[in-house]
Amino acid sequence: MADANKQLRWYNVALIAFVAVWGLGNVVNNYAQQGLSVVTSWVLIMLLYFVPYALIVGQLGSTFKDENGGVASWIRRTGTKRLAYFAAWTYWVVHVPYLAQKPSGILISLSWLIKGNGNFVNEVNAKVVSALCLVLFLLFLWLASRGLTTLNRIGSVAGTAMFIMSILFIILAVSAPFMTHATIATPHMDQLSTYLPKFNVNYFTTISMLVFAVGGAEKISPYVNNTKHAAKEFPLGMLVLAGMVALCAILGSFGMGMLFDANHIPTDLMANGAYLAFAKLGAYYHVGNVFVILYALAQAMAQISALAFSIDAPLKILLGDADPHFIPAKLSKLNKKGTPTNGYLMTGVLVSLLIVIPSLGIGNMNELYNWLLNLNAVVMPMRYLWVFLAYILLNKQLSQFQSEYEFVKNPKLGMVIGGWCFFFTAFACVMGMLPKISYAATPGTWMFQLALNIITPAILLALGLILPAIARRQEA
């Protein structure tokens, strides 16, 4: 009967993981920061980071196949309960900037649907946008607290639609110069020098966005044990996944280069890039705004679903397996609908502060959007650090654990690979804290952004130290 569950083949694993990991936003955001040199960056990040990361997750998922808590469970089994609590806290708290950013994404997609252009980003005051975002977030917080599950169902439809639009973009953009009379926007796309990055400080401040783009492979871990011949087929599936992601990233970046001049990238490309790209493609193929409307609908649904899901799911992971020594009982208390009311209140306060405070020092809506996206690229990868720590700890005591799939058999080599991935992630997070705007042009805003980029993760992580102190006091 055990074999009845082992139905997934390598191609199933690769496809499931691809839909979970990939999206058009990854292409647009990284092109906005690096231009066409991002093509080389994609190849490097796949080989040096993404492949070992995915295979590490495979071994952890296979070793701890009966654990439901993901990263926190892996840390508890290989480390201590205190470390497991901090892993669970990090996994939850990194979603705070993510939740703060989602309402602005919803507003942008709605403005494209209603007005058919991206002027909203460049014309509306950041304080007005923050007020609208706050109202939207509080509405979804209230809906999530009512136990509304419909939005999660919308998510699977939206996810599929976004995936189709991503593939459609690549096909349409790459073939546009051959199928239509479109002119290629970036000069010298036939020269190797166009694709070579300058490895300076500015370049290293952008790698956190690449890490953010390829991260989240731990979502794949439950599928390891459902894979037929896991030891052979799971790594094959992961390598195929890496190839698919690399192909889409590279072709997508080529497509962006054909539509937008890599030497003169629009400042609102992160916020409006995908819509502007589909508007240009619609004009080339003589279908008007059809692509823009389809993408805006898919994007609005995806953002709404992600907002609703990310309020509830990470909090349930944090509180569901709560150790009373570290998490106060009041925080885990459920109401009649099974909602952790105080947990929702804590989420509401932190996200509201992160929506309101930045707009006091960043007056431009487009800058505010870009800053929040870059903050996500700094904070979100912090949860991946625990994956690599769990792998290092596993290799330290490898003989005590059984796994159907092993990435490398030599524990010392395993520790070196885990250490490299840990170091690279931490380096990307720290470098990502440097603002992506010109210091000479706006020194005040640059300093304000740098302060927020350092203080926000520090406060979010430090809050995790306060809860165990409250829990100890309550127990006493």
Tab-separated table of all heavy atoms in Angstrom, residues 35 38 64 66 94 107 143 177 180 189 220-221 237 247 283 301 303 313 323 339 365 405 461 476:
chain	number	residue	atom	x	y	z
A	35	GLY	N	19.013	45.270	-15.993
A	35	GLY	CA	19.024	45.342	-17.453
A	35	GLY	C	19.357	43.979	-18.055
A	35	GLY	O	19.084	42.948	-17.442
A	38	VAL	N	21.294	40.817	-16.550
A	38	VAL	CA	20.600	39.856	-15.688
A	38	VAL	C	20.624	38.444	-16.286
A	38	VAL	O	20.511	37.450	-15.563
A	38	VAL	CB	19.139	40.322	-15.415
A	38	VAL	CG1	18.224	40.057	-16.603
A	38	VAL	CG2	18.572	39.661	-14.160
A	64	PHE	N	12.699	13.979	7.037
A	64	PHE	CA	11.652	14.265	8.035
A	64	PHE	C	10.277	14.213	7.382
A	64	PHE	O	9.489	15.142	7.480
A	64	PHE	CB	11.914	15.638	8.675
A	64	PHE	CG	13.302	15.765	9.236
A	64	PHE	CD1	14.214	16.652	8.690
A	64	PHE	CD2	13.721	14.978	10.306
A	64	PHE	CE1	15.510	16.757	9.196
A	64	PHE	CE2	15.006	15.073	10.816
A	64	PHE	CZ	15.908	15.964	10.259
A	66	ASP	N	7.615	12.638	8.061
A	66	ASP	CA	6.413	12.591	8.898
A	66	ASP	C	6.153	13.896	9.637
A	66	ASP	O	5.206	14.000	10.415
A	66	ASP	CB	6.524	11.435	9.912
A	66	ASP	CG	6.685	10.100	9.196
A	66	ASP	OD1	6.035	9.931	8.137
A	66	ASP	OD2	7.471	9.257	9.663
A	94	VAL	N	8.587	37.354	8.435
A	94	VAL	CA	9.017	37.863	7.119
A	94	VAL	C	7.820	38.157	6.220
A	94	VAL	O	7.952	38.844	5.201
A	94	VAL	CB	9.999	36.894	6.396
A	94	VAL	CG1	11.287	36.746	7.170
A	94	VAL	CG2	9.354	35.540	6.115
A	107	LEU	N	-4.064	47.752	-5.966
A	107	LEU	CA	-4.468	49.072	-6.464
A	107	LEU	C	-3.936	49.321	-7.879
A	107	LEU	O	-4.640	49.857	-8.735
A	107	LEU	CB	-3.954	50.178	-5.528
A	107	LEU	CG	-4.629	50.277	-4.148
A	107	LEU	CD1	-3.967	51.358	-3.307
A	107	LEU	CD2	-6.125	50.563	-4.286
A	143	LEU	N	-11.897	39.995	6.822
A	143	LEU	CA	-12.450	38.864	6.065
A	143	LEU	C	-11.767	37.552	6.444
A	143	LEU	O	-12.416	36.523	6.612
A	143	LEU	CB	-12.295	39.103	4.552
A	143	LEU	CG	-13.211	40.149	3.912
A	143	LEU	CD1	-12.813	40.382	2.465
A	143	LEU	CD2	-14.672	39.713	3.982
A	177	PRO	N	9.592	40.491	-32.953
A	177	PRO	CA	10.356	41.077	-34.070
A	177	PRO	C	10.251	40.258	-35.364
A	177	PRO	O	10.413	40.804	-36.453
A	177	PRO	CB	11.804	41.079	-33.551
A	177	PRO	CG	11.676	41.000	-32.071
A	177	PRO	CD	10.462	40.174	-31.820
A	180	THR	N	5.958	40.356	-36.254
A	180	THR	CA	5.413	41.692	-36.539
A	180	THR	C	6.574	42.575	-36.996
A	180	THR	O	7.708	42.127	-37.102
A	180	THR	CB	4.771	42.297	-35.271
A	180	THR	OG1	5.804	42.642	-34.353
A	180	THR	CG2	3.803	41.332	-34.610
A	189	MET	N	22.031	43.822	-29.058
A	189	MET	CA	21.608	42.574	-28.396
A	189	MET	C	22.317	41.357	-28.967
A	189	MET	O	22.207	40.265	-28.431
A	189	MET	CB	20.085	42.400	-28.481
A	189	MET	CG	19.345	43.223	-27.438
A	189	MET	SD	17.571	42.906	-27.362
A	189	MET	CE	17.493	41.268	-26.618
A	220	ILE	N	8.314	22.554	-1.889
A	220	ILE	CA	8.365	21.309	-2.670
A	220	ILE	C	8.580	20.085	-1.768
A	220	ILE	O	8.307	18.956	-2.159
A	220	ILE	CB	9.510	21.387	-3.722
A	220	ILE	CG1	9.369	22.657	-4.559
A	220	ILE	CG2	9.532	20.182	-4.639
A	220	ILE	CD1	10.667	23.112	-5.197
A	221	SER	N	9.051	20.320	-0.534
A	221	SER	CA	9.484	19.204	0.321
A	221	SER	C	8.432	18.103	0.529
A	221	SER	O	8.784	16.930	0.578
A	221	SER	CB	9.987	19.718	1.675
A	221	SER	OG	8.954	20.370	2.375
A	237	GLY	N	14.008	15.699	-11.314
A	237	GLY	CA	12.923	16.687	-11.384
A	237	GLY	C	13.408	18.082	-11.022
A	237	GLY	O	13.031	19.068	-11.662
A	247	LEU	N	15.523	28.838	-18.373
A	247	LEU	CA	15.069	29.098	-19.748
A	247	LEU	C	14.042	30.242	-19.771
A	247	LEU	O	14.149	31.170	-20.578
A	247	LEU	CB	14.453	27.816	-20.341
A	247	LEU	CG	14.179	27.834	-21.846
A	247	LEU	CD1	15.472	27.893	-22.644
A	247	LEU	CD2	13.363	26.604	-22.244
A	283	ALA	N	-0.371	46.071	-29.034
A	283	ALA	CA	-0.276	46.973	-30.197
A	283	ALA	C	0.404	46.263	-31.375
A	283	ALA	O	-0.045	46.373	-32.526
A	283	ALA	CB	0.504	48.225	-29.813
A	301	MET	N	-6.514	39.063	-8.988
A	301	MET	CA	-6.964	37.855	-8.285
A	301	MET	C	-5.821	37.213	-7.508
A	301	MET	O	-5.990	36.787	-6.359
A	301	MET	CB	-7.530	36.837	-9.278
A	301	MET	CG	-8.904	37.183	-9.799
A	301	MET	SD	-9.729	35.749	-10.539
A	301	MET	CE	-8.555	35.151	-11.737
A	303	GLN	N	-3.062	38.653	-6.335
A	303	GLN	CA	-2.655	39.495	-5.200
A	303	GLN	C	-3.673	39.395	-4.060
A	303	GLN	O	-3.311	39.316	-2.890
A	303	GLN	CB	-2.549	40.971	-5.644
A	303	GLN	CG	-1.563	41.224	-6.755
A	303	GLN	CD	-0.140	41.437	-6.269
A	303	GLN	OE1	0.115	41.610	-5.102
A	303	GLN	NE2	0.800	41.400	-7.175
A	313	ALA	N	-2.228	31.625	6.788
A	313	ALA	CA	-1.398	30.406	6.789
A	313	ALA	C	-0.124	30.508	7.635
A	313	ALA	O	0.110	29.649	8.495
A	313	ALA	CB	-1.066	30.003	5.359
A	323	ASP	N	4.868	26.171	21.327
A	323	ASP	CA	5.404	25.671	22.590
A	323	ASP	C	5.091	26.724	23.655
A	323	ASP	O	5.501	27.873	23.539
A	323	ASP	CB	6.922	25.486	22.448
A	323	ASP	CG	7.517	24.764	23.646
A	323	ASP	OD1	7.111	25.077	24.784
A	323	ASP	OD2	8.383	23.891	23.440
A	339	THR	N	-10.353	31.235	15.014
A	339	THR	CA	-9.392	32.269	14.603
A	339	THR	C	-8.579	32.743	15.798
A	339	THR	O	-9.155	33.075	16.840
A	339	THR	CB	-10.153	33.486	14.001
A	339	THR	OG1	-10.947	33.032	12.915
A	339	THR	CG2	-9.192	34.552	13.525
A	365	MET	N	4.833	57.693	-4.835
A	365	MET	CA	4.189	56.364	-4.804
A	365	MET	C	5.055	55.296	-5.488
A	365	MET	O	5.192	54.179	-5.008
A	365	MET	CB	2.809	56.466	-5.473
A	365	MET	CG	2.256	55.173	-6.072
A	365	MET	SD	1.835	53.928	-4.865
A	365	MET	CE	1.284	52.581	-5.866
A	405	TYR	N	16.364	9.763	0.041
A	405	TYR	CA	17.130	10.556	-0.924
A	405	TYR	C	18.215	11.358	-0.210
A	405	TYR	O	17.949	12.052	0.764
A	405	TYR	CB	16.207	11.512	-1.711
A	405	TYR	CG	16.986	12.588	-2.415
A	405	TYR	CD1	17.860	12.246	-3.450
A	405	TYR	CD2	16.927	13.917	-2.022
A	405	TYR	CE1	18.630	13.202	-4.077
A	405	TYR	CE2	17.688	14.893	-2.645
A	405	TYR	CZ	18.541	14.529	-3.676
A	405	TYR	OH	19.313	15.462	-4.285
A	461	LEU	N	12.697	40.843	13.885
A	461	LEU	CA	13.361	39.673	14.483
A	461	LEU	C	13.458	39.812	16.000
A	461	LEU	O	13.305	38.831	16.733
A	461	LEU	CB	14.754	39.479	13.867
A	461	LEU	CG	14.765	39.110	12.377
A	461	LEU	CD1	16.188	39.082	11.832
A	461	LEU	CD2	14.097	37.764	12.120
A	476	ALA	N	5.111	31.569	35.184
A	476	ALA	CA	5.496	31.763	36.590
A	476	ALA	C	4.287	32.204	37.399
A	476	ALA	O	4.090	31.797	38.513
A	476	ALA	CB	6.597	32.808	36.673
